[in-house]
Amino acid sequence: MQPESETGSGRVWFVGAGPGDPDLITVKGRKLLETADTILYAGSLVDRAATLFAPAGCEIRDSKDMTLEEMTEWLIDRAGRHATVVRLQTGDPGLYGALIELTRPLTAAGIAWTVVPGVSSAMAAMAAAGETLTLPEVTQTVILTRVAGRTPMPPGEDLEALAAHQTTLCIFLSITLLHKVQQALRAAGWAEDAPILVVQKASWPGEERIVRGTLADIKQKCQAEKIASQAMIVASPALGAAGWPDLARSKLYDPAFSHRFRKATEITHD
Ligand code: SAH
């Protein structure tokens, strides 16, 4: 539970806008936008959701030209004058969203705030491609990460170390650094023909693009398609499973496997 307002002022809602399609915002997020007094949205990725659902008279501001300090000042000022202030962010606010940098000054100023989760672009990219993040006996773990750009990676989190687990990797903020992704996966022992998926603008109506390649050729393919921004890179041993001839069965739906909601049925094998 986040802190209650101490000043009797409004609340700041950090709302996940989802990956791009305005229909992928949560019902709660949409209700907040529909009743917002003011909305501060994060750049071009989410303006449609803000303008589609905001009520008449709502103040709508793009934060793309603002520093973090200007944003917190703005949020504190508006929360002092309005009941419902929405900060609209792409995907889920807790992933690469500067959430804590924004909430700490609010708490210090006695402003109440709440986070409303959103559909991350990692999930939207996999949905777009008809792929699964986990697959029984293939991979049961998902790593959401990035490679170092201007933001350095903390010790132990470089992609080579993470890739050594041979699990699903959803790599954010790294499409211009595909050469670093390739280097890291090779160093971690991934095969040259390991499948790699890139999805640009996942879920954006009419703008989504899907590129399938291998560790060897994904960079050239993305260059040929001129994909250099707003893209998710996925490396996973489960990619392409829809077309595999054999698949281990998910225990959850196995008739011989009981769980809380279903008793196992007797089956005979011959
Ligand atoms: N909070 C966001 C991530 C913000 S960081 C989320 O949960 O999705 C910005 C990065 O997210 C981009 O560099 C890109 O890697 C990814 N991204 C955001 N929207 C995307 C989309 N619609 N399709 C593919 N990748 C996207």
Side-chain angles (χ1 to χ4, degrees):
M1 201 40 213
Q2 282 96 24
E4 285 304 313
S5 169
E6 289 164 16
T7 57
S9 56
R11 178 175 293 268
V12 178
W13 298 85
F14 290 85
V15 175
D21 179 352
D23 282 352
L24 286 177
I25 192 164
T26 64
V27 173
K28 183 162 187 161
R30 179 171 170 167
K31 281 183 185 162
L32 282 161
L33 288 173
E34 286 168 349
T35 54
D37 297 298
T38 178
I39 300 169
L40 182 65
Y41 71 91
S44 58
L45 281 171
V46 293
D47 56 356
R48 258 182 303 181
T51 47
L52 263 183
F53 303 130
C58 175
E59 179 192 19
I60 305 175
R61 171 79 153 93
D62 185 352
S63 64
K64 73 167 179 283
D65 59 353
M66 295 165 97
T67 63
L68 200 77
E69 289 71 22
E70 286 166 346
M71 284 163 65
T72 46
E73 235 171 70
W74 194 95
L75 291 171
I76 290 168
D77 173 70
R78 295 313 188 271
R81 300 196 266 132
H82 299 290
T84 306
V85 178
V86 172
R87 163 66 180 160
L88 190 63
Q89 308 198 201
T90 71
D92 182 79
L95 280 168
Y96 310 107
L99 180 65
I100 300 305
E101 294 98 307
L102 288 168
T103 60
R104 281 168 58 108
L106 296 183
T107 302
I111 309 277
W113 52 271
T114 303
V115 182
V116 179
V119 175
S120 173
S121 55
M123 283 72 208
M126 293 301 260
E131 295 283 357
T132 182
L133 290 148
T134 61
L135 192 63
E137 292 176 39
V138 176
T139 178
Q140 295 287 281
T141 305
V142 181
I143 295 176
L144 307 181
T145 190
R146 59 173 300 171
V147 294
R150 273 174 300 178
T151 306
M153 292 302 280
E157 291 192 25
D158 58 283
L159 189 58
E160 180 182 336
L162 300 175
H165 294 284
Q166 306 280 332
T167 178
T168 298
L169 301 164
C170 296
I171 308 170
F172 291 71
L173 296 160
S174 304
I175 192 65
T176 57
L177 302 168
L178 258 178
H179 57 286
K180 284 196 185 180
V181 172
Q182 285 175 312
Q183 264 169 21
L185 295 189
R186 284 185 177 123
W190 289 59
E192 286 301 307
D193 63 354
I196 309 283
L197 171 72
V198 170
V199 183
Q200 185 182 45
K201 293 192 170 180
S203 88
W204 284 50
E207 293 185 54
E208 175 181 281
R209 287 204 290 158
I210 299 173
V211 178
R212 290 177 185 275
T214 61
L215 178 53
D217 68 14
I218 192 68
K219 185 162 175 250
Q220 287 89 315
K221 283 194 166 173
C222 287
Q223 274 168 351
E225 296 280 333
K226 298 198 165 44
I227 292 180
S229 65
Q230 289 166 292
M232 177 66 49
I233 307 164
V234 182
S236 169
L239 286 175
W244 294 351
D246 298 309
L247 211 55
R249 216 182 153 127
S250 172
K251 293 274 187 285
L252 189 60
Y253 301 111
D254 190 324
F257 180 74
S258 292
H259 60 70
R260 205 152 61 87
F261 303 110
R262 182 169 50 72
K263 278 243 154 47
T265 47
E266 289 282 325
I267 49 165
T268 43
H269 294 284
D270 43 25

